[in-house]
Amino acid sequence: MSELFCHYLEPKNSLKRNGVNVVVGDEIADRLVFWNGHNRFPRNELTGISSIRMSVEQSKDTEFLKLVGRVLDRRGIQGEQNAPVATIRSTSLTEDELADIAERIKPEGKTWQRFATEAISDADWAIPEFWEERACFTTGSVAISREPKGQQRSELENGRSELPLATPWHLSENYLPPSVREGQWMVDLSIEREIDHCKFSNVVHEWILPRRLRIDPFFSISRESSSSRMHQRYCQRPTRSGRLSASIELAVRQASITVPNDDDAFFGGLRDFQRDRFLRTRENKDGLQKPPPPKVTDAKYSDKGRYLLGTLQHFGNLPDAFQTLMHGFWREGLRRLGADPSHLDDELEARFQKIMARRLRATGEEWEVSSQEDRQKVAKEALRIASQLRRPERFVQYDKLASRYSDLVEKFIEENPHVKEGPLEEYLSAGELDASIQYLCERKILFQGHEWRCQNCFNRNWVSIDDLSSVMTCNVCQNEELPPVSGGWQFKASGFFIEAFSDHGTEPAIWALWQLAERARASFFFLPSTLIWFDEHREDGPNDCEVDLLAVVDGETVAVEATTSRTLKASEIEKLAAFATRVRPDKLYIVCGADGQNARAQLATRIRNCLPEAVEVEVATYEASGERSDPYLPS
């Protein structure tokens, strides 16, 4: 009866097709193969024999083998073709010895081959592999059918919801007497994310919790129990698949759950206040016990992280931001308006250093400024290199945008000859560009208006479309002029947007975020650039390290370093290694300007040599051009 009602798992590497597991041998490994091999069989009839063991001495007795063969023929589990089969296995005998036993174990008059052999190297063979979602109870009926799952649903609103009190079938079918009502069971929760980053409208991401960043304690669960116990203890933990699981009992009449936002989950997981429950205490210099140190003492947004959040908040959701900012047409257009981080490239700095070392006739790459003449050389060379940087456009005319879009359409037609066969309207709407410009203006990425130059003081004035009137007034001298009657609309980029992209490295961070989001299938959430203090928070001192992004992709914790530089400095690698040692993410994802497979491999090797073995490294080359170059613009 115990086996009839017990919980069981369905194995991937089932032995059912090979029949009864007959183990021959006297070694410990043989015994482990026999006892644990039972776990590799699916649910079978209670009367069927799935495993049997005999000693080497017994295997030499032919009469005994004949009796075993008759038992297996009548009572052994059957294979896929409903015929008695068996496999002779051993870790201590050879294939030839097993073949001899298989020949002698056949029942008399049954000459067809029904016994296979398998020599096993060690006892690891018996370790089963289970299907994660196929853990079942039985109903105890004659057919031993699977017990139906107890399922309930509840709506999540503003991070709070009633906790579904799903009850196991064998408890809900009968009202149990008081003597057997004690005990708890686990309810596996599938929690949809309110802030959904999935790019598909018909798919909603779920909370899949990471293994190496404990955020499950920040899902607050409150229970109202009718139990007479003063201090009832409950637990919650992530399941093997990453979903949250909470304990419930019959005495619980009502329960609710509060889901944390992404910031609380990440910051709480980094601090990990429950860390001392799982790690051993240490002794200090005085021999006193002290709890293990936290992963990090404090963490807060960096300026780069705040600019990233501000940029993404211009859009309704993350997929809309990627669709716009990763499109080649608008990516190049915004660069022309000043959202260009090229001046942050370390290559320009290295080039400047080498030129100045040559101009000042330094013996090595280090040089010093000691005279007025040297200072003049530094100033002139700095101005010369600065002049090579492209000056951003103050605004862009609508006609120029239309011309660029026309070139994009022509290139698209050349690359897709089938478009020429029919009218272009079948593939592109007439107002594709206009709708996209209106969308960017609505999102405050572009501002529509008119720039005019005062004839009195020559000041350049910008008049927004909201401020246009019959008279234009200069912001400096208050001179009034009439508005123009010819010319098209002009568009300028948001000052915040330009500053975020050009001065705070937002573009490579968004590119890295986009690459990781494309990989997610069931869950994706992230924390923007964060300052980390390992031991103590110093308000007036430097932080220990800065992580550009910390993301969870389908339960895998990924720490990101995103830069336009071709490589990372030794100090940057050292800080990343310190973070990886403390927090132990599953992967370090490095986005940089490394050119070619060899450069990426060399950088990955440098970083990997400084990291713990359990942390993987992936290096990707930051692409300055947009991924999409089609004429279908976001709108």
Side-chain angles (χ1 to χ4, degrees):
M1 293 299 292
S2 298
E3 185 177 3
L4 182 65
F5 286 99
C6 72
H7 174 273
Y8 70 95
L9 296 171
E10 185 172 335
K12 289 183 180 179
N13 50 350
S14 173
L15 296 180
K16 180 176 175 58
R17 64 187 307 173
N18 297 323
V20 181
N21 178 33
V22 180
V23 182
V24 182
D26 303 313
E27 303 293 335
I28 294 179
D30 294 317
R31 296 176 182 271
L32 290 174
V33 167
F34 166 68
W35 285 109
N36 294 287
H38 180 73
N39 296 323
R40 289 185 55 179
F41 284 93
R43 195 74 169 177
N44 294 293
E45 298 83 357
L46 296 179
T47 57
I49 298 176
S50 62
S51 300
I52 190 172
R53 190 191 74 84
M54 67 180 71
S55 64
V56 176
E57 187 66 27
Q58 290 173 327
S59 68
K60 297 178 181 179
D61 188 347
T62 303
E63 294 299 323
F64 176 77
L65 291 180
K66 296 293 185 183
L67 291 175
V68 172
R70 292 171 57 187
V71 171
L72 297 181
D73 187 62
R74 297 181 180 180
R75 300 290 298 276
I77 61 174
Q78 298 180 345
E80 294 180 341
Q81 298 181 355
N82 295 324
V85 292
T87 302
I88 317 297
R89 297 183 174 90
S90 177
T91 63
S92 55
L93 301 181
T94 63
E95 284 282 359
D96 294 338
E97 292 173 323
L98 294 177
D100 176 67
I101 296 174
E103 187 65 29
R104 290 186 291 118
I105 203 175
K106 294 179 181 179
E108 295 181 2
K110 306 283 180 77
T111 58
W112 57 87
Q113 179 68 31
R114 294 178 299 165
F115 294 90
T117 61
E118 182 181 2
I120 301 171
S121 59
D122 52 43
D124 291 344
W125 169 91
I127 299 176
E129 297 179 6
F130 295 115
W131 296 99
E132 294 182 359
E133 303 298 334
R134 298 187 185 179
C136 310
F137 285 90
T138 60
T139 60
S141 63
V142 177
I144 313 183
S145 57
R146 290 182 177 180
E147 175 183 322
K149 290 184 178 181
Q151 295 181 336
Q152 291 187 17
R153 295 182 62 88
S154 180
E155 294 295 329
L156 185 67
E157 185 177 357
N158 296 326
R160 188 175 177 84
S161 171
E162 291 187 6
L163 185 67
L165 301 178
T167 305
W169 176 85
H170 60 281
L171 296 180
S172 61
E173 286 295 305
N174 298 285
Y175 188 76
L176 302 178
S179 59
V180 293
R181 290 181 196 171
E182 296 293 333
Q184 301 178 1
W185 64 89
M186 301 300 291
V187 176
D188 296 339
L189 303 174
S190 177
I191 306 174
E192 294 182 349
R193 286 183 49 82
E194 286 190 292
I195 302 178
D196 182 27
H197 298 316
C198 183
K199 64 180 180 180
F200 302 109
S201 59
N202 61 337
V203 177
V204 179
H205 277 175
E206 299 179 1
W207 279 94
I208 296 184
L209 309 184
R211 287 180 175 270
R212 298 191 182 180
L213 196 68
R214 295 203 66 240
I215 64 176
D216 55 283
F218 305 98
F219 288 78
S220 177
I221 299 178
S222 60
R223 304 170 178 84
E224 295 182 7
S225 175
S226 59
S227 175
S228 58
R229 294 184 180 182
M230 294 295 295
H231 303 286
Q232 188 72 3
R233 305 190 68 176
Y234 300 99
C235 69
Q236 61 191 64
R237 61 174 181 264
T239 64
R240 188 177 182 181
S241 59
R243 292 176 174 84
L244 185 66
S245 183
S247 61
I248 297 295
E249 61 178 349
L250 287 176
V252 175
R253 301 304 181 188
Q254 187 175 4
S256 63
I257 180 172
T258 302
V259 179
N261 57 39
D262 294 349
D263 292 353
D264 292 341
F266 274 109
F267 287 135
L270 288 173
R271 296 185 180 97
D272 197 4
F273 67 92
Q274 293 187 351
R275 182 178 175 87
D276 56 347
R277 298 186 181 182
F278 304 97
L279 299 180
R280 295 180 179 177
T281 58
R282 302 178 181 180
E283 291 186 0
N284 57 17
K285 297 179 180 180
D286 300 328
L288 300 177
Q289 298 290 332
K290 64 175 184 178
K295 290 183 177 180
V296 302
T297 301
D298 200 5
K300 65 178 183 179
Y301 285 153
S302 66
D303 291 343
K304 184 176 182 178
R306 297 184 185 278
Y307 273 96
L308 175 61
L309 282 181
T311 300
L312 297 178
Q313 287 172 357
H314 281 74
F315 301 90
N317 51 55
L318 201 60
D320 288 349
F322 293 152
Q323 186 180 15
T324 302
L325 301 178
M326 295 296 109
H327 196 288
F329 180 81
W330 286 122
R331 198 171 183 187
E332 177 62 24
L334 293 171
R335 279 175 173 266
R336 291 172 180 265
L337 291 173
D340 189 356
S342 61
H343 67 282
L344 300 177
D345 195 346
D346 287 348
E347 185 178 359
L348 287 176
E349 179 182 349
R351 177 183 170 189
F352 178 76
Q353 294 279 2
K354 290 182 179 180
I355 291 176
M356 293 313 306
R358 187 173 64 252
R359 293 286 179 87
L360 298 177
R361 298 181 181 180
T363 55
E365 293 187 357
E366 296 183 359
W367 46 274
E368 295 182 357
V369 179
S370 58
S371 64
Q372 180 65 25
E373 182 181 359
D374 291 344
R375 286 191 287 270
Q376 290 178 352
K377 290 181 180 180
V378 173
K380 288 181 179 179
E381 189 60 35
L383 290 173
R384 189 183 70 82
I385 291 183
S387 66
Q388 296 178 1
L389 297 174
R390 182 175 58 188
R391 294 186 61 183
E393 300 174 355
R394 298 190 309 276
F395 58 85
V396 59
Q397 294 275 2
Y398 174 83
D399 295 341
K400 187 175 291 187
L401 286 175
S403 176
R404 295 174 189 169
Y405 183 71
S406 178
D407 296 339
L408 180 64
V409 172
E410 292 179 2
K411 182 180 179 181
F412 176 74
I413 294 176
E414 292 178 2
E415 296 175 352
N416 300 272
H418 67 278
V419 178
K420 298 180 181 180
E421 300 176 0
L424 188 61
E425 290 75 13
E426 294 183 3
Y427 301 94
L428 289 174
S429 60
E432 187 80 21
L433 175 62
D434 292 1
S436 187
I437 294 176
Q438 290 172 345
Y439 172 73
L440 264 67
C441 290
E442 180 186 5
R443 293 298 175 184
K444 307 299 182 183
I445 301 296
L446 293 179
F447 292 95
Q448 183 177 0
H450 173 71
E451 183 181 278
W452 61 281
R453 187 174 184 180
C454 178
Q455 298 299 320
N456 184 40
C457 66
F458 301 111
N459 178 53
R460 298 184 184 275
N461 298 273
W462 174 263
V463 183
S464 172
I465 187 174
D466 298 327
D467 300 330
L468 281 177
S469 63
S470 58
V471 176
M472 299 186 303
T473 304
C474 177
N475 295 330
V476 176
C477 67
Q478 305 301 312
N479 180 43
E480 294 184 351
E481 294 187 13
L482 296 176
V485 295
S486 61
W489 286 109
Q490 299 165 348
F491 302 90
K492 63 184 301 184
S494 164
F496 174 88
F497 196 85
I498 292 176
E499 186 177 355
F501 269 58
S502 61
D503 297 335
H504 294 277
T506 299
E507 186 174 25
I510 291 180
W511 190 89
L513 196 63
W514 171 57
Q515 292 292 318
L516 294 177
E518 287 289 314
R519 303 179 183 184
R521 294 295 176 266
S523 181
F524 179 77
F525 48 101
F526 68 96
L527 183 72
S529 181
T530 304
L531 302 177
I532 302 293
W533 286 266
F534 292 140
D535 298 322
E536 60 178 336
H537 174 68
R538 300 179 297 276
E539 191 68 35
D540 57 345
N543 56 288
D544 292 314
C545 75
E546 179 179 353
V547 180
D548 289 340
L549 286 171
L550 190 61
V552 175
V553 184
D554 292 337
E556 183 182 60
T557 306
V558 183
V560 180
E561 176 68 19
T563 178
T564 57
S565 304
R566 290 185 177 274
T567 186
L568 298 184
K569 300 177 182 178
S571 59
E572 294 174 331
I573 295 178
E574 182 180 352
K575 291 182 177 181
L576 284 175
F579 176 82
T581 303
R582 287 292 192 106
V583 181
R584 298 182 69 82
D586 295 282
K587 179 184 291 185
L588 276 183
Y589 185 59
I590 310 300
V591 174
C592 62
D595 188 12
Q597 181 65 31
N598 292 335
R600 291 194 294 269
Q602 291 176 4
L603 179 58
T605 302
R606 286 178 55 201
I607 299 173
R608 192 176 293 110
N609 293 336
C610 303
L611 299 180
E613 294 183 358
V615 180
E616 300 179 5
V617 179
E618 181 181 352
V619 179
T621 300
Y622 164 69
E623 300 289 345
S625 59
E627 180 72 13
R628 291 181 54 191
S629 59
D630 56 77
Y632 302 102
L633 302 180
S635 59

